[in-house]
């Protein structure tokens, strides 16, 4: 109640100049960060006259309060408990910066720094939270002997980052394949993302695919690639030689069989011809004998 009433009164006079960063502050998840705030325009003041309030700009919830030469935590938002402090030795020189420990994703947002020494001043800044991703890994599932033309799903996964990463898929020639991609970001209880990206491709022989994952705040890039050796749609070399060998053997058997058949047929023809000749000879002999028996004997 004291904070709200005081701030309402201060808005009538704003002669104190308060300055914070003009650009968003990027704070690493899990680390400590300083939200810089300085003030000027108050000279020869006593710390008992100084009041400093840090608040969340959107909800007006208290992040840290200082007045009557003491830190005040009565109205502090519970999520900031035991995580905030000022720099007491630097207050007299105009430094009202806030030290925020063990940064969380939930801390991201706009913060206002209010300072009062007789007169009042304030300014607001934005803090962004960033966390690096693990090195991405690319996996794929298909038959053990993939062939060109097979449809394959490649999966790229990275863990524990923030904010949501940008994912770029490329082939071995550097061509962008992202239009064939689905991306599924899932946040854990800490707000950190697991990024899972799936690329669907039609295989070509000896295809290489790479996944590049970039954190837009940190600018760091993770890279992973996979090369899939797809067998051409022909017999493997060993199977080809086996097939050729079998074909040669079969051809040899057919030739041998044809030769045997030809010889058998020839022998059969010769036997039939010999039998016919013998039969003809026998018939001729019988005919000759018949003629001889029919001729009368001369006296």
């Amino acid at each position: 109640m004291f904070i709200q009433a005081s701030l309402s009164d201060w808005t009538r006079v704003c002669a104190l100049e308060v300055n914070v960063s003009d650009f968003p502050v990027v704070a690493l998840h899990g680390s400590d960060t300083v939200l810089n705030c300085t003030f000027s325009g108050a000279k020869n003041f006593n710390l008992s006259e100084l009041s400093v309030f840090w608040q969340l700009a959107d909800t007006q919830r208290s992040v840290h309060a200082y007045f009557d030469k003491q830190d005040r935590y009565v109205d502090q938002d519970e999520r900031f408990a035991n995580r905030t402090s000022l720099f007491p030795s630097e207050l007299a020189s105009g430094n009202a910066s806030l030290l925020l420990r063990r940064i969380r994703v939930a801390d991201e947002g706009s913060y206002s720094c209010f300072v009062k020494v007789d007169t009042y001043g304030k300014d607001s800044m934005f803090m962004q939270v960033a966390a690096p991703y693990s090195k991405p890994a690319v996996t794929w599932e298909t038959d053990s002997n993939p062939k060109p033309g097979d449809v394959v799903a490649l999966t790229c996964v990275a863990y524990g980052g923030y904010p949501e990463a940008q994912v770029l898929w490329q082939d071995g020639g550097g061509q962008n394949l992202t239009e064939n991609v689905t991306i599924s970001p899932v946040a854990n209880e800490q707000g950190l993302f697991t990024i899972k990206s799936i690329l669907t491709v039609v295989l070509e022989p000896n295809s290489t695919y790479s996944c590049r994952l970039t954190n837009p705040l940190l600018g760091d890039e993770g890279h992973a690639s996979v090369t899939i050796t797809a067998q051409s749609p022909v017999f493997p070399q060993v199977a080809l030689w086996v097939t050729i060998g079998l074909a040669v053997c079969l051809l040899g058997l057919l030739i041998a069989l044809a030769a045997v058949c030809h010889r058998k047929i020839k022998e059969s023809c010769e036997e039939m011809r010999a039998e016919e000749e013998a039969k003809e000879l026998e018939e001729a002999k019988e005919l000759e004998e018949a003629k001889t028996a029919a001729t009368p004997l001369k006296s």
Side-chain angles (χ1 to χ4, degrees), residues 146-148 205 230-236:
K147 301 179 295 297
Q231 298 290 344
S232 299
V234 296
F235 289 112

Side-chain angles (χ1 to χ4, degrees), residues 131-279:
Y133 283 87
S134 66
K135 178 178 175 57
V138 176
T139 58
W140 58 283
E141 294 182 3
T142 185
D143 296 334
S144 57
N145 296 312
K147 301 179 295 297
D150 287 353
V151 177
V152 174
L154 306 174
T155 301
C156 179
V157 179
Y159 303 91
Y162 188 88
E164 184 177 336
Q166 299 167 348
V167 180
L168 172 65
W169 283 92
Q170 294 176 306
D171 61 16
Q175 182 179 357
N176 190 335
L177 303 175
T178 307
E179 62 182 11
N180 301 322
V181 167
T182 60
I183 301 177
S184 304
V186 178
N188 61 16
E189 65 278 1
Q190 295 178 302
L192 301 177
F193 285 111
T194 292
I195 297 292
K196 181 178 181 181
S197 179
I198 299 176
L199 169 69
T200 302
V201 294
V202 177
L203 284 185
E204 297 179 1
N206 300 322
S207 302
T208 297
Y209 303 95
S210 65
C211 169
R212 297 184 180 273
L213 186 143
T214 305
N215 188 310
L217 289 184
L218 299 179
D220 59 343
E221 182 180 277
H223 173 265
S225 63
V226 63
T227 298
I228 302 176
T229 303
Q231 298 290 344
S232 299
V234 296
F235 289 112
Q237 187 172 12
V238 174
L240 178 62
W241 284 112
V242 171
T243 302
I244 292 175
L246 292 174
V248 170
C249 291
L250 180 60
L251 180 61
L253 289 174
L254 291 176
I255 293 174
L257 181 62
V260 171
C261 291
H262 177 72
R263 187 175 69 252
K264 292 293 184 181
I265 293 173
K266 182 178 180 181
E267 290 177 353
S268 298
C269 292
E270 290 177 351
E271 289 178 358
M272 291 178 63
R273 188 179 301 111
E275 290 178 355
E276 290 179 355
E277 290 178 353
K279 184 177 180 180

Side-chain angles (χ1 to χ4, degrees), residues 6-18 39-53 66-68 114-122:
S6 298
L7 296 180
S8 177
D9 293 338
W10 294 351
T11 56
R12 301 189 186 98
V13 181
C14 292
L16 198 69
E17 183 177 353
V18 176
F39 62 94
S40 59
K43 297 181 180 180
N44 302 321
F45 65 92
N46 190 294
L47 287 180
S48 62
E49 301 173 300
L50 174 67
S51 297
V52 177
F53 297 96
Y66 173 93
F67 54 89
D68 293 338
F114 299 86
V115 180
K116 176 183 179 294
V117 182
D118 293 332
T119 59
Y120 150 79
K122 74 169 184 176

Side-chain angles (χ1 to χ4, degrees), residues 4 22 40 61 69 74 95 109 137 170 195 197 208 287-288 294:
Q4 293 179 348
D22 294 330
S40 59
R61 300 295 300 272
K69 301 176 69 172
V74 175
N95 184 3
Q170 294 176 306
I195 297 292
S197 179
T208 297
L287 181 60
E288 184 64 25

Side-chain angles (χ1 to χ4, degrees), residues 88-106:
S89 63
E90 301 180 26
L91 289 172
S93 61
N95 184 3
S97 300
L98 176 71
L99 173 62
L100 182 56
R101 302 181 182 87
R102 303 181 299 280
I103 295 296
R104 307 168 182 172
V105 171

